PDB file of all heavy atoms in Angstrom:
ATOM      1  N   MET V   1       5.782 -15.744  94.764  1.00  0.00           N
ATOM      2  CA  MET V   1       7.121 -15.580  94.197  1.00  0.00           C
ATOM      3  C   MET V   1       7.429 -16.669  93.170  1.00  0.00           C
ATOM      4  O   MET V   1       6.873 -17.749  93.207  1.00  0.00           O
ATOM      5  CB  MET V   1       8.179 -15.615  95.293  1.00  0.00           C
ATOM      6  CG  MET V   1       8.245 -14.358  96.120  1.00  0.00           C
ATOM      7  SD  MET V   1       8.740 -12.918  95.176  1.00  0.00           S
ATOM      8  CE  MET V   1       7.208 -12.025  95.059  1.00  0.00           C
ATOM      9  N   ASP V   2       8.335 -16.338  92.262  1.00  0.00           N
ATOM     10  CA  ASP V   2       8.778 -17.283  91.248  1.00  0.00           C
ATOM     11  C   ASP V   2       9.489 -18.464  91.904  1.00  0.00           C
ATOM     12  O   ASP V   2      10.078 -18.329  92.977  1.00  0.00           O
ATOM     13  CB  ASP V   2       9.727 -16.597  90.264  1.00  0.00           C
ATOM     14  CG  ASP V   2       9.058 -15.462  89.521  1.00  0.00           C
ATOM     15  OD1 ASP V   2       7.868 -15.603  89.188  1.00  0.00           O
ATOM     16  OD2 ASP V   2       9.710 -14.432  89.289  1.00  0.00           O
ATOM     17  N   SER V   3       9.472 -19.603  91.249  1.00  0.00           N
ATOM     18  CA  SER V   3       9.999 -20.826  91.854  1.00  0.00           C
ATOM     19  C   SER V   3      11.521 -20.820  92.028  1.00  0.00           C
ATOM     20  O   SER V   3      12.034 -21.447  92.921  1.00  0.00           O
ATOM     21  CB  SER V   3       9.582 -22.042  91.035  1.00  0.00           C
ATOM     22  OG  SER V   3      10.100 -21.930  89.730  1.00  0.00           O
ATOM     23  N   GLY V   4      12.269 -20.106  91.194  1.00  0.00           N
ATOM     24  CA  GLY V   4      13.719 -20.135  91.270  1.00  0.00           C
ATOM     25  C   GLY V   4      14.335 -19.069  92.145  1.00  0.00           C
ATOM     26  O   GLY V   4      15.542 -18.876  92.138  1.00  0.00           O
ATOM     27  N   VAL V   5      13.546 -18.390  92.947  1.00  0.00           N
ATOM     28  CA  VAL V   5      14.022 -17.257  93.743  1.00  0.00           C
ATOM     29  C   VAL V   5      14.594 -17.743  95.072  1.00  0.00           C
ATOM     30  O   VAL V   5      14.006 -18.590  95.737  1.00  0.00           O
ATOM     31  CB  VAL V   5      12.868 -16.262  93.993  1.00  0.00           C
ATOM     32  CG1 VAL V   5      13.274 -15.165  94.936  1.00  0.00           C
ATOM     33  CG2 VAL V   5      12.391 -15.667  92.699  1.00  0.00           C
ATOM     34  N   ASN V   6      15.749 -17.207  95.456  1.00  0.00           N
ATOM     35  CA  ASN V   6      16.318 -17.467  96.775  1.00  0.00           C
ATOM     36  C   ASN V   6      15.884 -16.355  97.711  1.00  0.00           C
ATOM     37  O   ASN V   6      16.131 -15.181  97.444  1.00  0.00           O
ATOM     38  CB  ASN V   6      17.845 -17.513  96.712  1.00  0.00           C
ATOM     39  CG  ASN V   6      18.336 -18.675  95.891  1.00  0.00           C
ATOM     40  OD1 ASN V   6      17.722 -19.727  95.872  1.00  0.00           O
ATOM     41  ND2 ASN V   6      19.442 -18.479  95.206  1.00  0.00           N
ATOM     42  N   ILE V   7      15.252 -16.733  98.808  1.00  0.00           N
ATOM     43  CA  ILE V   7      14.697 -15.750  99.737  1.00  0.00           C
ATOM     44  C   ILE V   7      15.329 -15.941 101.104  1.00  0.00           C
ATOM     45  O   ILE V   7      15.374 -17.059 101.624  1.00  0.00           O
ATOM     46  CB  ILE V   7      13.164 -15.904  99.843  1.00  0.00           C
ATOM     47  CG1 ILE V   7      12.527 -15.737  98.467  1.00  0.00           C
ATOM     48  CG2 ILE V   7      12.596 -14.902 100.828  1.00  0.00           C
ATOM     49  CD1 ILE V   7      11.066 -16.091  98.406  1.00  0.00           C
ATOM     50  N   GLU V   8      15.804 -14.832 101.674  1.00  0.00           N
ATOM     51  CA  GLU V   8      16.335 -14.862 103.033  1.00  0.00           C
ATOM     52  C   GLU V   8      15.164 -14.880 104.000  1.00  0.00           C
ATOM     53  O   GLU V   8      14.088 -14.385 103.690  1.00  0.00           O
ATOM     54  CB  GLU V   8      17.197 -13.634 103.281  1.00  0.00           C
ATOM     55  CG  GLU V   8      17.904 -13.655 104.621  1.00  0.00           C
ATOM     56  CD  GLU V   8      18.794 -12.443 104.785  1.00  0.00           C
ATOM     57  OE1 GLU V   8      19.758 -12.314 104.029  1.00  0.00           O
ATOM     58  OE2 GLU V   8      18.487 -11.635 105.678  1.00  0.00           O
ATOM     59  N   ASP V   9      15.399 -15.436 105.175  1.00  0.00           N
ATOM     60  CA  ASP V   9      14.327 -15.527 106.163  1.00  0.00           C
ATOM     61  C   ASP V   9      13.691 -14.165 106.424  1.00  0.00           C
ATOM     62  O   ASP V   9      14.320 -13.130 106.291  1.00  0.00           O
ATOM     63  CB  ASP V   9      14.841 -16.131 107.468  1.00  0.00           C
ATOM     64  CG  ASP V   9      15.994 -15.348 108.065  1.00  0.00           C
ATOM     65  OD1 ASP V   9      16.595 -14.536 107.339  1.00  0.00           O
ATOM     66  OD2 ASP V   9      16.295 -15.561 109.236  1.00  0.00           O
ATOM     67  N   THR V  10      12.451 -14.214 106.791  1.00  0.00           N
ATOM     68  CA  THR V  10      11.686 -12.988 106.994  1.00  0.00           C
ATOM     69  C   THR V  10      12.034 -12.361 108.330  1.00  0.00           C
ATOM     70  O   THR V  10      12.432 -13.034 109.273  1.00  0.00           O
ATOM     71  CB  THR V  10      10.181 -13.286 106.968  1.00  0.00           C
ATOM     72  OG1 THR V  10       9.879 -14.205 108.022  1.00  0.00           O
ATOM     73  CG2 THR V  10       9.777 -13.884 105.646  1.00  0.00           C
ATOM     74  N   THR V  11      11.891 -11.066 108.380  1.00  0.00           N
ATOM     75  CA  THR V  11      12.100 -10.348 109.626  1.00  0.00           C
ATOM     76  C   THR V  11      10.889  -9.471 109.890  1.00  0.00           C
ATOM     77  O   THR V  11      10.434  -8.761 109.008  1.00  0.00           O
ATOM     78  CB  THR V  11      13.354  -9.456 109.561  1.00  0.00           C
ATOM     79  OG1 THR V  11      13.224  -8.579 108.440  1.00  0.00           O
ATOM     80  CG2 THR V  11      14.608 -10.278 109.416  1.00  0.00           C
ATOM     81  N   GLY V  12      10.355  -9.561 111.063  1.00  0.00           N
ATOM     82  CA  GLY V  12       9.244  -8.707 111.450  1.00  0.00           C
ATOM     83  C   GLY V  12       9.788  -7.459 112.119  1.00  0.00           C
ATOM     84  O   GLY V  12      10.242  -7.516 113.251  1.00  0.00           O
ATOM     85  N   ASN V  13       9.777  -6.344 111.397  1.00  0.00           N
ATOM     86  CA  ASN V  13      10.307  -5.094 111.948  1.00  0.00           C
ATOM     87  C   ASN V  13       9.408  -4.533 113.030  1.00  0.00           C
ATOM     88  O   ASN V  13       9.872  -3.939 113.979  1.00  0.00           O
ATOM     89  CB  ASN V  13      10.480  -4.060 110.829  1.00  0.00           C
ATOM     90  CG  ASN V  13      11.465  -4.509 109.778  1.00  0.00           C
ATOM     91  OD1 ASN V  13      12.306  -5.338 110.061  1.00  0.00           O
ATOM     92  ND2 ASN V  13      11.342  -3.968 108.588  1.00  0.00           N
ATOM     93  N   SER V  14       8.140  -4.684 112.866  1.00  0.00           N
ATOM     94  CA  SER V  14       7.177  -4.262 113.869  1.00  0.00           C
ATOM     95  C   SER V  14       5.969  -5.169 113.741  1.00  0.00           C
ATOM     96  O   SER V  14       5.996  -6.143 112.989  1.00  0.00           O
ATOM     97  CB  SER V  14       6.799  -2.791 113.667  1.00  0.00           C
ATOM     98  OG  SER V  14       6.063  -2.635 112.474  1.00  0.00           O
ATOM     99  N   ARG V  15       4.925  -4.835 114.440  1.00  0.00           N
ATOM    100  CA  ARG V  15       3.738  -5.691 114.426  1.00  0.00           C
ATOM    101  C   ARG V  15       3.076  -5.771 113.067  1.00  0.00           C
ATOM    102  O   ARG V  15       2.447  -6.759 112.728  1.00  0.00           O
ATOM    103  CB  ARG V  15       2.735  -5.136 115.439  1.00  0.00           C
ATOM    104  CG  ARG V  15       2.049  -6.177 116.244  1.00  0.00           C
ATOM    105  CD  ARG V  15       1.140  -5.541 117.220  1.00  0.00           C
ATOM    106  NE  ARG V  15      -0.077  -5.143 116.499  1.00  0.00           N
ATOM    107  CZ  ARG V  15      -1.153  -4.694 117.071  1.00  0.00           C
ATOM    108  NH1 ARG V  15      -1.177  -4.517 118.352  1.00  0.00           N
ATOM    109  NH2 ARG V  15      -2.211  -4.379 116.368  1.00  0.00           N
ATOM    110  N   ASN V  16       3.224  -4.719 112.269  1.00  0.00           N
ATOM    111  CA  ASN V  16       2.512  -4.686 110.993  1.00  0.00           C
ATOM    112  C   ASN V  16       3.422  -4.526 109.778  1.00  0.00           C
ATOM    113  O   ASN V  16       2.968  -4.100 108.731  1.00  0.00           O
ATOM    114  CB  ASN V  16       1.455  -3.588 111.003  1.00  0.00           C
ATOM    115  CG  ASN V  16       2.044  -2.215 111.182  1.00  0.00           C
ATOM    116  OD1 ASN V  16       3.199  -2.081 111.559  1.00  0.00           O
ATOM    117  ND2 ASN V  16       1.265  -1.203 110.921  1.00  0.00           N
ATOM    118  N   VAL V  17       4.702  -4.883 109.897  1.00  0.00           N
ATOM    119  CA  VAL V  17       5.625  -4.819 108.767  1.00  0.00           C
ATOM    120  C   VAL V  17       6.426  -6.118 108.700  1.00  0.00           C
ATOM    121  O   VAL V  17       6.946  -6.585 109.707  1.00  0.00           O
ATOM    122  CB  VAL V  17       6.599  -3.628 108.884  1.00  0.00           C
ATOM    123  CG1 VAL V  17       7.615  -3.643 107.753  1.00  0.00           C
ATOM    124  CG2 VAL V  17       5.847  -2.320 108.901  1.00  0.00           C
ATOM    125  N   VAL V  18       6.496  -6.688 107.497  1.00  0.00           N
ATOM    126  CA  VAL V  18       7.298  -7.880 107.259  1.00  0.00           C
ATOM    127  C   VAL V  18       8.261  -7.557 106.127  1.00  0.00           C
ATOM    128  O   VAL V  18       7.869  -6.942 105.133  1.00  0.00           O
ATOM    129  CB  VAL V  18       6.414  -9.089 106.872  1.00  0.00           C
ATOM    130  CG1 VAL V  18       7.255 -10.311 106.589  1.00  0.00           C
ATOM    131  CG2 VAL V  18       5.413  -9.387 107.968  1.00  0.00           C
ATOM    132  N   SER V  19       9.536  -7.957 106.267  1.00  0.00           N
ATOM    133  CA  SER V  19      10.543  -7.694 105.239  1.00  0.00           C
ATOM    134  C   SER V  19      11.137  -9.002 104.737  1.00  0.00           C
ATOM    135  O   SER V  19      11.296  -9.952 105.502  1.00  0.00           O
ATOM    136  CB  SER V  19      11.666  -6.821 105.782  1.00  0.00           C
ATOM    137  OG  SER V  19      11.160  -5.557 106.142  1.00  0.00           O
ATOM    138  N   PHE V  20      11.459  -9.021 103.450  1.00  0.00           N
ATOM    139  CA  PHE V  20      12.092 -10.166 102.815  1.00  0.00           C
ATOM    140  C   PHE V  20      13.284  -9.655 102.013  1.00  0.00           C
ATOM    141  O   PHE V  20      13.265  -8.533 101.532  1.00  0.00           O
ATOM    142  CB  PHE V  20      11.132 -10.859 101.838  1.00  0.00           C
ATOM    143  CG  PHE V  20       9.851 -11.314 102.454  1.00  0.00           C
ATOM    144  CD1 PHE V  20       8.745 -10.489 102.480  1.00  0.00           C
ATOM    145  CD2 PHE V  20       9.749 -12.577 103.002  1.00  0.00           C
ATOM    146  CE1 PHE V  20       7.557 -10.905 103.041  1.00  0.00           C
ATOM    147  CE2 PHE V  20       8.563 -13.004 103.564  1.00  0.00           C
ATOM    148  CZ  PHE V  20       7.467 -12.172 103.577  1.00  0.00           C
ATOM    149  N   VAL V  21      14.302 -10.486 101.850  1.00  0.00           N
ATOM    150  CA  VAL V  21      15.416 -10.165 100.962  1.00  0.00           C
ATOM    151  C   VAL V  21      15.462 -11.250  99.901  1.00  0.00           C
ATOM    152  O   VAL V  21      15.555 -12.434 100.208  1.00  0.00           O
ATOM    153  CB  VAL V  21      16.756 -10.096 101.715  1.00  0.00           C
ATOM    154  CG1 VAL V  21      17.887  -9.833 100.747  1.00  0.00           C
ATOM    155  CG2 VAL V  21      16.710  -9.019 102.787  1.00  0.00           C
ATOM    156  N   ILE V  22      15.365 -10.813  98.640  1.00  0.00           N
ATOM    157  CA  ILE V  22      15.388 -11.732  97.510  1.00  0.00           C
ATOM    158  C   ILE V  22      16.756 -11.639  96.853  1.00  0.00           C
ATOM    159  O   ILE V  22      17.223 -10.546  96.546  1.00  0.00           O
ATOM    160  CB  ILE V  22      14.293 -11.380  96.486  1.00  0.00           C
ATOM    161  CG1 ILE V  22      12.918 -11.553  97.112  1.00  0.00           C
ATOM    162  CG2 ILE V  22      14.422 -12.234  95.244  1.00  0.00           C
ATOM    163  CD1 ILE V  22      11.793 -11.144  96.194  1.00  0.00           C
ATOM    164  N   TYR V  23      17.381 -12.787  96.641  1.00  0.00           N
ATOM    165  CA  TYR V  23      18.667 -12.842  95.951  1.00  0.00           C
ATOM    166  C   TYR V  23      18.437 -13.406  94.562  1.00  0.00           C
ATOM    167  O   TYR V  23      17.848 -14.462  94.406  1.00  0.00           O
ATOM    168  CB  TYR V  23      19.655 -13.718  96.710  1.00  0.00           C
ATOM    169  CG  TYR V  23      20.005 -13.161  98.065  1.00  0.00           C
ATOM    170  CD1 TYR V  23      19.372 -13.631  99.203  1.00  0.00           C
ATOM    171  CD2 TYR V  23      20.940 -12.150  98.186  1.00  0.00           C
ATOM    172  CE1 TYR V  23      19.680 -13.106 100.450  1.00  0.00           C
ATOM    173  CE2 TYR V  23      21.259 -11.618  99.420  1.00  0.00           C
ATOM    174  CZ  TYR V  23      20.618 -12.102 100.548  1.00  0.00           C
ATOM    175  OH  TYR V  23      20.918 -11.581 101.770  1.00  0.00           O
ATOM    176  N   GLY V  24      18.889 -12.689  93.559  1.00  0.00           N
ATOM    177  CA  GLY V  24      18.755 -13.160  92.192  1.00  0.00           C
ATOM    178  C   GLY V  24      17.562 -12.558  91.483  1.00  0.00           C
ATOM    179  O   GLY V  24      17.044 -11.509  91.843  1.00  0.00           O
ATOM    180  N   PHE V  25      17.086 -13.277  90.490  1.00  0.00           N
ATOM    181  CA  PHE V  25      16.075 -12.802  89.568  1.00  0.00           C
ATOM    182  C   PHE V  25      14.668 -12.962  90.140  1.00  0.00           C
ATOM    183  O   PHE V  25      14.346 -13.970  90.738  1.00  0.00           O
ATOM    184  CB  PHE V  25      16.201 -13.603  88.268  1.00  0.00           C
ATOM    185  CG  PHE V  25      15.195 -13.235  87.227  1.00  0.00           C
ATOM    186  CD1 PHE V  25      15.328 -12.060  86.518  1.00  0.00           C
ATOM    187  CD2 PHE V  25      14.129 -14.062  86.971  1.00  0.00           C
ATOM    188  CE1 PHE V  25      14.404 -11.715  85.554  1.00  0.00           C
ATOM    189  CE2 PHE V  25      13.199 -13.735  86.008  1.00  0.00           C
ATOM    190  CZ  PHE V  25      13.334 -12.561  85.300  1.00  0.00           C
ATOM    191  N   HIS V  26      13.852 -11.953  89.968  1.00  0.00           N
ATOM    192  CA  HIS V  26      12.417 -12.047  90.252  1.00  0.00           C
ATOM    193  C   HIS V  26      11.690 -11.244  89.179  1.00  0.00           C
ATOM    194  O   HIS V  26      12.265 -10.342  88.574  1.00  0.00           O
ATOM    195  CB  HIS V  26      12.068 -11.532  91.644  1.00  0.00           C
ATOM    196  CG  HIS V  26      12.283 -10.055  91.815  1.00  0.00           C
ATOM    197  ND1 HIS V  26      13.526  -9.529  92.048  1.00  0.00           N
ATOM    198  CD2 HIS V  26      11.430  -9.012  91.755  1.00  0.00           C
ATOM    199  CE1 HIS V  26      13.430  -8.204  92.136  1.00  0.00           C
ATOM    200  NE2 HIS V  26      12.172  -7.871  91.954  1.00  0.00           N
ATOM    201  N   THR V  27      10.439 -11.577  88.919  1.00  0.00           N
ATOM    202  CA  THR V  27       9.709 -10.913  87.850  1.00  0.00           C
ATOM    203  C   THR V  27       8.728  -9.893  88.405  1.00  0.00           C
ATOM    204  O   THR V  27       8.283 -10.003  89.548  1.00  0.00           O
ATOM    205  CB  THR V  27       8.926 -11.924  86.996  1.00  0.00           C
ATOM    206  OG1 THR V  27       7.950 -12.567  87.824  1.00  0.00           O
ATOM    207  CG2 THR V  27       9.852 -12.954  86.393  1.00  0.00           C
ATOM    208  N   GLN V  28       8.409  -8.923  87.593  1.00  0.00           N
ATOM    209  CA  GLN V  28       7.397  -7.938  87.954  1.00  0.00           C
ATOM    210  C   GLN V  28       6.038  -8.619  88.111  1.00  0.00           C
ATOM    211  O   GLN V  28       5.223  -8.210  88.923  1.00  0.00           O
ATOM    212  CB  GLN V  28       7.327  -6.836  86.887  1.00  0.00           C
ATOM    213  CG  GLN V  28       6.370  -5.718  87.225  1.00  0.00           C
ATOM    214  CD  GLN V  28       6.804  -4.927  88.447  1.00  0.00           C
ATOM    215  OE1 GLN V  28       7.989  -4.734  88.688  1.00  0.00           O
ATOM    216  NE2 GLN V  28       5.840  -4.475  89.224  1.00  0.00           N
ATOM    217  N   LEU V  29       5.813  -9.683  87.352  1.00  0.00           N
ATOM    218  CA  LEU V  29       4.551 -10.415  87.441  1.00  0.00           C
ATOM    219  C   LEU V  29       4.347 -10.990  88.841  1.00  0.00           C
ATOM    220  O   LEU V  29       3.246 -10.932  89.380  1.00  0.00           O
ATOM    221  CB  LEU V  29       4.511 -11.532  86.400  1.00  0.00           C
ATOM    222  CG  LEU V  29       3.256 -12.401  86.393  1.00  0.00           C
ATOM    223  CD1 LEU V  29       2.027 -11.548  86.094  1.00  0.00           C
ATOM    224  CD2 LEU V  29       3.390 -13.506  85.379  1.00  0.00           C
ATOM    225  N   SER V  30       5.410 -11.531  89.435  1.00  0.00           N
ATOM    226  CA  SER V  30       5.268 -12.096  90.780  1.00  0.00           C
ATOM    227  C   SER V  30       4.963 -11.005  91.801  1.00  0.00           C
ATOM    228  O   SER V  30       4.170 -11.213  92.718  1.00  0.00           O
ATOM    229  CB  SER V  30       6.513 -12.885  91.175  1.00  0.00           C
ATOM    230  OG  SER V  30       7.643 -12.047  91.223  1.00  0.00           O
ATOM    231  N   LEU V  31       5.561  -9.825  91.646  1.00  0.00           N
ATOM    232  CA  LEU V  31       5.274  -8.724  92.561  1.00  0.00           C
ATOM    233  C   LEU V  31       3.855  -8.199  92.368  1.00  0.00           C
ATOM    234  O   LEU V  31       3.171  -7.864  93.336  1.00  0.00           O
ATOM    235  CB  LEU V  31       6.289  -7.601  92.368  1.00  0.00           C
ATOM    236  CG  LEU V  31       7.731  -7.950  92.721  1.00  0.00           C
ATOM    237  CD1 LEU V  31       8.650  -6.794  92.380  1.00  0.00           C
ATOM    238  CD2 LEU V  31       7.849  -8.339  94.179  1.00  0.00           C
ATOM    239  N   THR V  32       3.398  -8.145  91.118  1.00  0.00           N
ATOM    240  CA  THR V  32       2.026  -7.712  90.846  1.00  0.00           C
ATOM    241  C   THR V  32       1.029  -8.718  91.411  1.00  0.00           C
ATOM    242  O   THR V  32       0.019  -8.340  92.004  1.00  0.00           O
ATOM    243  CB  THR V  32       1.810  -7.555  89.328  1.00  0.00           C
ATOM    244  OG1 THR V  32       2.762  -6.617  88.838  1.00  0.00           O
ATOM    245  CG2 THR V  32       0.418  -7.076  89.015  1.00  0.00           C
ATOM    246  N   ARG V  33       1.330  -9.989  91.256  1.00  0.00           N
ATOM    247  CA  ARG V  33       0.480 -11.041  91.822  1.00  0.00           C
ATOM    248  C   ARG V  33       0.398 -10.903  93.333  1.00  0.00           C
ATOM    249  O   ARG V  33      -0.682 -11.013  93.931  1.00  0.00           O
ATOM    250  CB  ARG V  33       1.060 -12.403  91.436  1.00  0.00           C
ATOM    251  CG  ARG V  33       0.198 -13.571  91.764  1.00  0.00           C
ATOM    252  CD  ARG V  33       0.816 -14.901  91.353  1.00  0.00           C
ATOM    253  NE  ARG V  33       1.544 -14.827  90.103  1.00  0.00           N
ATOM    254  CZ  ARG V  33       2.772 -15.306  89.917  1.00  0.00           C
ATOM    255  NH1 ARG V  33       3.419 -15.891  90.894  1.00  0.00           N
ATOM    256  NH2 ARG V  33       3.366 -15.217  88.752  1.00  0.00           N
ATOM    257  N   LEU V  34       1.525 -10.623  93.971  1.00  0.00           N
ATOM    258  CA  LEU V  34       1.567 -10.424  95.419  1.00  0.00           C
ATOM    259  C   LEU V  34       0.704  -9.239  95.824  1.00  0.00           C
ATOM    260  O   LEU V  34      -0.099  -9.337  96.763  1.00  0.00           O
ATOM    261  CB  LEU V  34       3.012 -10.206  95.866  1.00  0.00           C
ATOM    262  CG  LEU V  34       3.237  -9.852  97.319  1.00  0.00           C
ATOM    263  CD1 LEU V  34       2.829 -11.004  98.219  1.00  0.00           C
ATOM    264  CD2 LEU V  34       4.692  -9.472  97.556  1.00  0.00           C
ATOM    265  N   GLN V  35       0.840  -8.133  95.121  1.00  0.00           N
ATOM    266  CA  GLN V  35       0.065  -6.939  95.447  1.00  0.00           C
ATOM    267  C   GLN V  35      -1.432  -7.191  95.288  1.00  0.00           C
ATOM    268  O   GLN V  35      -2.222  -6.791  96.140  1.00  0.00           O
ATOM    269  CB  GLN V  35       0.493  -5.772  94.582  1.00  0.00           C
ATOM    270  CG  GLN V  35      -0.214  -4.484  94.936  1.00  0.00           C
ATOM    271  CD  GLN V  35       0.267  -3.319  94.097  1.00  0.00           C
ATOM    272  OE1 GLN V  35       0.785  -3.503  93.001  1.00  0.00           O
ATOM    273  NE2 GLN V  35       0.114  -2.133  94.623  1.00  0.00           N
TER     274      GLN V  35
END
């Protein structure tokens, strides 16, 4: 993720799913890098 992103704590919905909530700006490049 980009350095200026505010991220809410992660929640594990199940054993194989993780969710994040991003507040503010994020770039497509950071999501592509993650993928």
Side-chain angles (χ1 to χ4, degrees):
M1 285 296 107
D2 298 323
S3 61
V5 173
N6 295 327
I7 302 170
E8 186 177 295
D9 58 344
T10 61
T11 56
N13 298 337
S14 68
R15 221 178 79 172
N16 62 346
V17 176
V18 178
S19 296
F20 303 91
V21 177
I22 296 176
Y23 296 98
F25 179 75
H26 67 280
T27 63
Q28 184 65 34
L29 179 61
S30 63
L31 295 175
T32 302
R33 189 180 323 132
L34 174 65
Q35 184 178 23

